[in-house]
Amino acid sequence: MEVTASSPGKINLGLWVGALESSGYHPLLTAFQAVDLWDFVTARSDDQMSLEVKGSVDCGLVPHDERNVAWQAARALAKHCGKEEAVALQISKNIPVAGGMAGGSADAAATLLALDALWECGLDDSTLQQLASTLGSDVPFSLHGQAAIGRDRGDALTAVAIEKPLHFVLCPSEGALSTGAVYAEYDRLSPRASVPTAIDPAFLAAWQAGDAEALAPLIHNDLQPAAISLMPELETLATQIEKAGALRAAVSGSGPTMWGLALNAEHAGEIAQALRADGITTWVTQSSLENPRLRLSR
Ligand code: ATP
């Protein structure tokens, strides 16, 4: 039997980062929004572990062995469920690699879902979430999908009910930024003393209602100055995205993918057209309102 699971990429509509703690982590408050751009993981039983990667994005940086977070997810689930079987994993990537959109985390989450089904472990959501949090701070959200507020390391999630999707353009940059390097630059620049305790109610209301005009001035990413400091061309790209008509442009997570907020799907198409005319690779997408767990196929 073969099982395929998928998990979406994300952007952070808001990201507030506190100063480095003695634990080695930064406390966060973030508004996670899954977007309609999915990685797929197909799993089947085999004599030995193997991992294949292909996709519509450049996968040059993606490891094919135990360094791959999907492989680590398979190991973690096997250990938890007492399974000794090996599996062949096939990853089909559509989320930009090392782009701040949690592509690796999506593969880990999809692997947990696929193997839970293949091995008939029957794990409940909270056990899967617990396993996910051992694999990386963004993996719990990749498993959750849709929209959520993340606290602590981004792994303590509160679901947000979305009434209407938002529409975006995505501009994946040529280069990659290491998440660790961006946080180190953030620490060097000027980390904020403390993280806000809650998302501004006006932000939350605009996000839930899909009210792009109300949300635009409230969009915020504490890591953006650090990402721009390491990759100054991102500032020019932000200006180009806004000049093309986006209500706001921002770095996704630690970057370097940038996203622009549009009024609606048609407006996103117009912005993308203007950016492509300037030679900038641009994808149109929107908030994903689907639950990854319900997309399994056998
Ligand atoms: P995040 O937003 O969670 O910080 P990201 O989207 O910036 O992550 P990823 O695409 O997850 O970055 O990749 C970061 C690095 O992780 C890559 O450079 C690669 O070496 C490594 N990696 C391990 N497994 C994977 C995977 N399945 N897909 C992509 N990268 C992986």
Side-chain angles (χ1 to χ4, degrees):
M1 192 177 62
E2 204 175 81
V3 177
T4 298
S6 52
S7 173
K10 59 84 186 161
I11 59 175
N12 304 76
L13 297 174
L15 177 57
W16 295 267
V17 180
L20 185 65
E21 292 179 338
S22 53
S23 61
Y25 284 90
H26 295 81
L28 303 180
L29 174 68
T30 188
F32 278 125
Q33 178 61 65
V35 294
D36 228 344
L37 193 63
W38 297 73
D39 274 6
F40 295 83
V41 175
T42 299
R44 73 180 153 75
S45 298
D46 207 353
D47 300 337
Q48 56 181 28
M49 279 293 291
S50 65
L51 188 146
E52 223 179 274
V53 184
K54 60 183 173 67
S56 60
V57 292
D58 182 358
C59 297
L61 286 175
V62 182
H64 289 222
D65 51 23
E66 66 279 358
R67 289 168 301 161
N68 194 302
V69 66
W71 186 300
Q72 293 158 17
R75 283 269 163 80
L77 191 79
K79 190 166 171 215
H80 184 89
C81 299
K83 297 279 175 189
E84 283 178 11
E85 293 136 71
V87 282
L89 299 175
Q90 275 183 320
I91 302 181
S92 175
K93 291 198 75 73
N94 299 299
I95 305 169
V97 176
M101 294 189 67
S105 303
D107 300 345
T111 302
L112 291 178
L113 291 175
L115 291 180
D116 177 57
L118 185 75
W119 291 335
E120 298 179 338
C121 303
L123 298 184
D124 59 23
D125 283 346
S126 85
T127 308
L128 282 171
Q129 282 290 340
Q130 175 59 35
L131 271 173
S133 67
T134 66
L135 296 164
S137 307
D138 284 343
V139 185
F141 179 72
S142 300
L143 198 58
H144 182 281
Q146 300 161 311
I149 295 168
R151 292 189 176 80
D152 298 343
R153 296 171 189 176
D155 54 350
L157 300 175
T158 308
V160 173
I162 299 297
E163 290 147 30
K164 230 178 119 211
L166 291 159
H167 297 268
F168 310 102
V169 292
L170 293 176
C171 300
S173 298
E174 292 274 305
L177 276 176
S178 125
T179 304
V182 176
Y183 273 96
E185 186 66 358
Y186 174 71
D187 293 335
R188 195 184 70 78
L189 294 173
S190 53
R192 64 165 64 236
S194 63
V195 181
T197 49
I199 300 270
D200 173 1
F203 184 112
L204 188 60
W207 182 15
Q208 291 184 289
D211 185 344
E213 274 176 307
L215 184 64
L218 306 175
I219 284 162
H220 179 83
N221 183 349
D222 271 341
L223 296 181
Q224 182 154 318
I228 288 175
S229 167
L230 295 177
M231 212 186 246
E233 60 270 33
L234 291 179
E235 191 153 36
T236 317
L237 182 58
T239 309
Q240 285 172 302
I241 295 172
E242 287 180 359
K243 234 176 101 193
L247 305 181
R248 254 319 265 288
V251 164
S252 176
S254 55
T257 301
M258 293 210 83
W259 58 275
L261 181 63
L263 277 172
N264 50 42
E266 196 188 352
H267 186 218
E270 287 162 12
I271 299 166
Q273 209 175 3
L275 287 167
R276 288 180 194 134
D278 283 344
I280 298 167
T281 304
T282 310
W283 302 323
V284 170
T285 190
Q286 61 172 37
S287 309
S288 157
L289 307 183
E290 280 183 272
N291 177 344
R293 203 162 189 182
L294 304 179
R295 285 175 48 121
L296 273 176
S297 65
R298 289 161 208 260

